[in-house]
Amino acid sequence: MRKRHQPLVFKIIIHKKYKLMTSITRVKLSRLFFPLCLLLLTLATSAVAAPAKRYALVYTWNQEVRQALDDRSKLARTLSPPANRQLLIVGRNGAYGVVYPLRGSLGQARQLAVKQSHALSSAGFTPADILPEGTYSSLYHLQLAIGSAPKALQPDYQRIAARLSPDDRAKLQIEQTGARSYALVFRCWADKAEAIKIAKQQRSRLQGKQSPTLITALERPGLVNAINPARIGADPPLSQQAKSCRLAVLPAKKDNQAGNDQKISKSRAAGINSKIQMFLKEQRAKGRLQQRDMAAMVAFDLTNNTYLASLNAQRSFQAASMIKPFVALAFFDQVERGKLKYTSTHRQMMEEMIQHSDNEATNWFIRQVGGPARCNAVINGQYGRTFSKVRILEYIPPGGKTYKNSALPQDYVQFLRALWNNQLPRSQEMLRVMSLPGRDRIFWGTEVPPGTLVYNKTGTTSYLCGDMGILVTHSKNGQKVPYAVVGIVERPTAAKDYKRWMETGGGVIRGFSSLVYEEMKQNYNLL
C-alpha cells in the first residue's frame, strides 16, 4: 500500500513545486512587462514625432561669392529641370555653395546624384555631394527702399551710394522683386545673424527713412549698374537693336593715322606720361610690381580723338578674357552677313561670355563662327586695317589657362574707339553687354566719381591682369565726356598667390585709371 501512495505524494510535491515556480515566474514577467511596454510606446511616439531627414545636393564650394555665382550659371545650363531652375547660393563656414534643395530622402538624393553625374562630369564638375538640410545657412540681402519703377529709386540710390565706400557701392543694386515692384538692394550675401549686423550699420545711411529689411539672397538681374544710375530703363527689343546697328568694315587707316593721333596729343601726354613713370616707380618700390613685370597703360580721349597716354601700346600681350569682345565681333560680323542668327539664346550666352566671363559660352561662340582659325580670319580679314595684331588661336582651355590668344594694347583702343562711334556690327548690343554689372579695374577703387558709365571687359590669368573699357564722365555743364582706358600688367612667371596677384595687378591698373581721370578732369572741368 505504501508503494502505491508514494507516486501520489511525489506528484503532489512536484505539482506544488511547479505551482510555486509558475507563480514566481509570473511575478518576474509582470515586473518586466510594464517597463517593456512603456519603452516600446516611447520609441513609437518618438518615431512619429521626429520628421524624416531631408537632403540637398551640393555641387561646389567657393571662398568668393562671385565664383559661386559663376558656377551657378554654368550648372543652370548643365542640369535638367527642375534642378537647374532652383539652384541656391548658401553659406557654410565662410564659404559659398551652390545647392539644389531636393527636400527628398537620402535614397532619392543618391539616385539623383548618380543620374546627374555624367552631365556634371562633361561640364567639368565633380559629382554632387549629399548634405542634410540644416547643415548650411540661407543667405540674405538688405532691402533699403521699394518703388513701383526703377527711376523712382534713383534718388535713394544716389543718396546712399554717395555715403558708401567703393567696395560697398559695388553691392548696391536696383532689382525687380515682383511683376511691378522694384527694390534698392544692398547685396551682402550674408547669413541671418551677419545680415542683421549689416542692417544696423546701414540704418544710419538711410537718414531716418525706412529701416533695412532682410530679403532672401537670390541672383535677381540688376536693372542698374551700381555706379550707373543713367542706365535705368529697359533694353530695347532685339529687333530695334538690329535696326540701329550696321555692318561697317572700317575704312583703311592711313599709315600715319596713329602717329597723327599721338602727335596731336603729344604735349598733353607728356605730363601724364611722366606721372605714370613716377607711379610705376612707386609701385615697384612698394613691391606691388616686380622688376621683370611688364605694364601697358594707354588712354584715349574719344571726344578729341587723341591719345592721353601711351606706354607699351604696340607691344603684344596675352589677351586672357579680353579676347572675348573680339570673339563677339567675329560672331556679329557673321550675323550681319546673314550667315548666323542672333536669338534670345544667343543673347543670353553673350551676356554669359562678356558679363560673367564664362569660358564655355566663349567656346560656344567660337564654335558658332567655325573655330579659332575662322574667328581669327574674320577679325584679320575684315578688320585687319583697324587692328594691328589680334590673334585668336585657341579655345579657352579648362581652368581658364589661356595663354595663346593675344593683342596689342593699341588694338583694344581701336576696338573701343570704333565701338563708341557705332562703326562695328551690332555696336549698341556690344555696348549694352559690356555695361552690365560685373568686375572692373578702371572704376572701382579709383578716383572716378559715381554716376560714371562703364563699358568694359577684364582679363586675368596667373600671368596677366588687365582691363579695357570706356568711361563716360560728365562735365559741370552736363556734357558727356567719354574716354578709353587700357591697363595691363604681365608677369614672366605664373603667380603663386593668384588672389594677391589680382589685387596687386588690379591696384596698379586702378592707380593708372585715377591718373587718367585727373587729367580728363582738368581738361574738361569734370564733376
Side-chain angles (χ1 to χ4, degrees):
M1 295 293 292
R2 290 179 182 176
K3 288 183 180 179
R4 291 179 184 175
H5 291 291
Q6 282 179 354
L8 180 60
V9 172
F10 182 74
K11 286 181 182 178
I12 292 172
I13 292 172
I14 292 175
H15 177 71
K16 286 181 178 181
K17 285 183 178 181
Y18 173 76
K19 196 171 183 180
L20 179 61
M21 289 176 64
T22 304
S23 62
I24 292 171
T25 303
R26 284 175 181 174
V27 171
K28 288 183 177 180
L29 287 175
S30 65
R31 288 177 181 175
L32 292 173
F33 178 74
F34 291 107
L36 183 62
C37 289
L38 185 60
L39 177 62
L40 292 173
L41 182 61
T42 303
L43 290 174
T45 305
S46 63
V48 172
K53 276 189 177 180
R54 296 183 180 276
Y55 292 85
L57 299 186
V58 58
Y59 302 99
T60 62
W61 290 103
N62 293 281
Q63 294 301 312
E64 295 185 8
V65 68
R66 181 70 264 168
Q67 186 59 53
L69 290 169
D70 289 347
D71 285 347
R72 182 191 179 280
S73 179
K74 295 175 187 176
L75 287 163
R77 296 195 307 273
T78 301
L79 301 175
S80 303
N84 63 341
R85 298 171 186 167
Q86 298 177 24
L87 297 173
L88 298 177
I89 306 295
V90 299
R92 188 181 71 170
N93 299 329
Y96 301 94
V98 183
V99 307
Y100 169 47
L102 175 64
R103 298 184 177 90
S105 66
L106 181 59
Q108 290 172 322
R110 285 174 176 167
Q111 185 178 7
L112 182 58
V114 171
K115 185 178 179 181
Q116 293 178 345
S117 61
H118 178 70
L120 290 170
S121 177
S122 300
F125 292 97
T126 57
D129 290 329
I130 300 171
L131 283 181
E133 287 188 347
T135 57
Y136 52 82
S137 303
S138 298
L139 300 181
Y140 296 88
H141 292 330
L142 301 185
Q143 181 176 278
L144 305 181
I146 57 175
S148 57
K151 288 184 179 180
L153 294 169
Q154 185 173 341
D156 287 317
Y157 168 84
Q158 292 175 327
R159 173 174 55 81
I160 296 172
R163 302 168 69 109
L164 295 175
S165 66
D167 288 340
D168 282 347
R169 198 181 303 135
K171 302 173 184 177
L172 196 62
Q173 265 289 350
I174 292 176
E175 296 182 352
Q176 185 168 5
T177 54
R180 296 183 180 179
S181 59
Y182 301 84
L184 181 61
V185 175
F186 185 76
R187 294 175 170 176
C188 49
W189 298 100
D191 61 32
K192 195 168 186 177
E194 183 64 22
I196 291 173
K197 290 180 183 178
I198 298 172
K200 291 178 180 178
Q201 297 170 2
Q202 296 295 333
R203 189 172 294 124
S204 61
R205 296 190 173 101
L206 297 176
Q207 298 177 341
K209 294 193 175 184
Q210 181 181 350
S211 297
T213 57
L214 271 59
I215 60 172
T216 304
L218 301 176
E219 194 182 9
R220 306 177 188 88
L223 302 180
V224 53
N225 190 320
I227 49 95
N228 292 335
R231 291 185 194 171
I232 296 176
D235 295 321
L238 287 175
S239 58
Q240 292 182 16
Q241 291 180 10
K243 291 178 183 177
S244 66
C245 305
R246 63 182 185 277
L247 174 64
V249 177
L250 297 181
K253 181 172 63 177
K254 294 180 181 179
D255 294 338
N256 62 346
Q257 181 178 338
N260 286 341
D261 286 337
Q262 293 181 13
K263 267 187 180 180
I264 293 170
S265 60
K266 188 174 181 180
S267 60
R268 295 175 63 189
I272 190 172
N273 280 338
S274 63
K275 292 177 182 177
I276 291 171
Q277 294 295 344
M278 289 179 61
F279 169 71
L280 291 177
K281 188 176 180 180
E282 290 174 359
Q283 298 304 300
R284 293 186 193 280
K286 293 177 180 178
R288 295 171 184 167
L289 271 179
Q290 301 302 312
Q291 202 62 37
R292 295 175 61 199
D293 291 350
M294 182 66 68
M297 296 183 173
V298 188
F300 189 86
D301 184 341
L302 291 167
T303 300
N304 288 330
N305 288 319
T306 57
Y307 278 89
L308 295 166
S310 180
L311 175 66
N312 291 323
Q314 296 183 356
R315 182 188 183 279
S316 182
F317 287 82
Q318 292 179 15
S321 289
M322 292 187 292
I323 203 68
K324 293 171 183 177
F326 291 104
V327 173
L329 173 58
F331 171 77
F332 281 131
D333 177 273
Q334 298 298 285
V335 170
E336 289 299 308
R337 295 177 189 280
K339 297 181 180 180
L340 295 172
K341 293 182 179 181
Y342 189 53
T343 65
S344 58
T345 299
H346 291 86
R347 177 184 166 110
Q348 180 182 354
M349 294 294 282
M350 185 65 67
E351 291 175 356
E352 290 293 328
M353 177 172 71
I354 301 298
Q355 181 185 18
H356 299 299
S357 203
D358 188 279
N359 294 331
E360 292 179 13
T362 306
N363 291 339
W364 186 81
F365 276 111
I366 293 175
R367 284 192 292 270
Q368 292 275 306
V369 177
R374 177 58 184 158
C375 284
N376 194 62
V378 170
I379 293 297
N380 289 283
Q382 301 299 328
Y383 308 95
R385 294 181 179 179
T386 303
F387 311 130
S388 302
K389 204 173 180 181
V390 176
R391 298 291 181 264
I392 303 176
L393 303 179
E394 66 173 351
Y395 290 104
I396 308 296
K401 297 179 180 180
T402 173
Y403 309 127
K404 295 181 180 179
N405 301 324
S406 62
L408 306 183
Q410 180 178 285
D411 290 332
Y412 298 122
V413 170
Q414 293 302 322
F415 173 87
L416 296 168
R417 182 182 182 183
L419 191 65
W420 183 253
N421 292 318
N422 204 32
Q423 294 175 320
L424 299 177
R426 302 293 177 105
S427 290
Q428 295 304 309
E429 174 64 359
M430 281 197 280
L431 283 171
R432 181 192 72 81
V433 179
M434 290 176 69
S435 75
L436 295 173
R439 299 172 181 171
D440 79 75
R441 297 176 176 123
I442 57 177
F443 174 80
W444 298 119
T446 73
E447 298 299 321
V448 182
T452 299
L453 301 177
V454 181
Y455 307 86
N456 82 298
K457 184 69 196 79
T458 60
T460 315
T461 68
S462 57
Y463 290 87
L464 180 133
C465 182
D467 199 355
M468 53 90 92
I470 297 170
L471 297 172
V472 185
T473 54
H474 294 80
S475 65
K476 291 182 179 178
N477 62 10
Q479 177 189 0
K480 287 184 178 180
V481 182
Y483 61 98
V485 177
V486 177
I488 299 171
V489 181
E490 188 176 76
R491 298 170 51 93
T493 57
K496 294 180 180 179
D497 189 335
Y498 185 78
K499 185 176 180 180
R500 176 165 174 74
W501 161 237
M502 286 196 297
E503 291 174 353
T504 56
V508 172
I509 296 168
R510 290 182 175 93
F512 168 60
S513 184
S514 293
L515 289 175
V516 175
Y517 169 72
E518 291 300 329
E519 183 72 13
M520 291 294 292
K521 185 177 181 179
Q522 292 178 15
N523 294 338
Y524 289 96
N525 195 25
L526 300 180
L527 291 171

